[in-house]
Amino acid sequence: MFHKALTDIFPDPPTDLDPEALDEARVPEHIAVIMDGNGRWAKKRALNRLRGHKAGIEAVRETIRCASDAGVRYLTVYAFSTENWKRPDDEVVGLMNLFAKTMLAEVDGLDEENVRVRTIGDLSLLPEDTRAAFGRAWDQTCGNTGMTLNVAVNYGSREEIMRAVRAVADAAVAAAGRGEARDVTPELFERGLYTAGIPDPDLVIRTSGEHRISNFLLWQVAYAEFYVTDVLWPDFDRYELLRALLDFQHRDRRFGGVR
Ligand code: FPP
């Protein structure tokens, strides 16, 4: 369900885009976004990489607002992967500070928009103030009933899958040999994933032209539609999201069956 008139969500569309073509009934329930290209955006402007990440915040803000207004129920953004620790120290520290600052600055606005802010990933390795900022955002917004924003931080899908496997194995050990391997169902396995209780993504958007999944939601994207755009993340805005939504609505989703 749209939460605003299309003319308010998309007030100034480029001439090649018609917001009215958006079908309210076919808005994806869950969109996952690989926000790529901040470094290249900065390099093109002879700025340091952190400036690219800072510019990316505005794109995150606009994507959240627009997705929520368009009736998306879950939006998952890949903010920091388990592999991103390999980046130079100043970039890692800068990103952690940026997450903390952004969360504290945005939480009231997100709360007003009825957005629920949660994280997926292993937060135990984060600096204390960054972890606290995400914790505070969850505490303040967990009762909200609008869109859920999942921020993937120190998230890696292989790590997540191993974690779920270990949870299943632990449960088997606790059952003292009374269970059988066939008792391990997909539903049981999914309870050990960070995304437990969240429907699988319908649409994965990746910016900056790379056709890679980069250890993101490997189990969950089994039947997701992929949309890759050459636009660099800081240049992504509501109209780029509209392009992705319209493209998605033309896909013929068969989930392995026939129509
Ligand atoms: C990838 O671009 C981007 C990241 C690893 C960081 C993305 C984080 C943000 C936009 C901030 C989000 C903040 C919150 C609180 C949700 P890249 O550096 O890999 O770009 P490149 O491929 O051009 O080098």
Side-chain angles (χ1 to χ4, degrees), residues 34-195:
I34 303 177
M35 312 180 286
D36 195 12
N38 294 348
R40 273 161 284 173
W41 183 93
K43 194 171 178 196
K44 273 168 74 177
R45 289 161 180 77
L47 299 170
N48 82 25
R49 298 177 53 82
L50 212 48
R51 291 285 295 277
H53 298 314
K54 281 185 186 153
I57 296 292
E58 183 51 39
V60 179
R61 191 182 288 126
E62 184 154 334
T63 302
I64 295 169
R65 299 289 184 276
C66 181
S68 163
D69 289 346
V72 171
R73 297 297 302 156
Y74 299 88
L75 176 71
T76 301
V77 293
Y78 204 2
F80 194 89
S81 75
T82 46
E83 288 72 35
N84 285 154
W85 298 106
K86 293 183 217 152
R87 295 188 175 208
D89 279 355
D90 59 339
E91 185 175 350
V92 170
V93 170
L95 273 169
M96 291 298 153
N97 290 337
L98 190 61
F99 296 151
K101 215 174 109 195
T102 305
M103 271 300 131
L104 294 177
E106 300 292 332
V107 65
D108 288 347
L110 291 166
D111 193 17
E112 264 165 43
E113 299 205 18
N114 200 18
V115 171
R116 217 158 64 113
V117 184
R118 48 167 292 177
T119 51
I120 57 172
D122 178 5
L123 269 62
S124 69
L125 296 179
L126 265 48
E128 179 51 38
D129 59 339
T130 307
R131 197 168 54 240
F134 282 120
R136 154 135 195 245
W138 169 249
D139 290 343
Q140 186 172 335
T141 64
C142 62
N144 289 346
T145 55
M147 188 179 79
T148 297
L149 170 69
N150 294 314
V151 186
V153 249
N154 192 26
Y155 173 86
S157 199
R158 288 185 169 180
E159 186 266 333
E160 177 188 40
I161 288 170
M162 286 313 300
R163 203 172 160 264
V165 167
R166 288 189 193 110
V168 168
D170 277 348
V173 170
R178 274 177 282 119
E180 289 189 42
R182 67 169 172 232
D183 298 338
V184 182
T185 59
E187 292 72 24
L188 184 68
F189 170 76
E190 282 175 353
R191 271 187 237 156
L193 298 176
Y194 293 119
T195 52

Side-chain angles (χ1 to χ4, degrees), residues 199-222:
D200 290 342
D202 305 289
L203 171 64
V204 176
I205 298 174
R206 181 161 190 154
T207 55
S208 91
E210 312 283 354
H211 293 69
R212 270 196 299 280
I213 192 67
S214 299
N215 202 14
F216 190 43
L217 303 172
L218 299 179
W219 170 274
Q220 297 89 336
V221 298

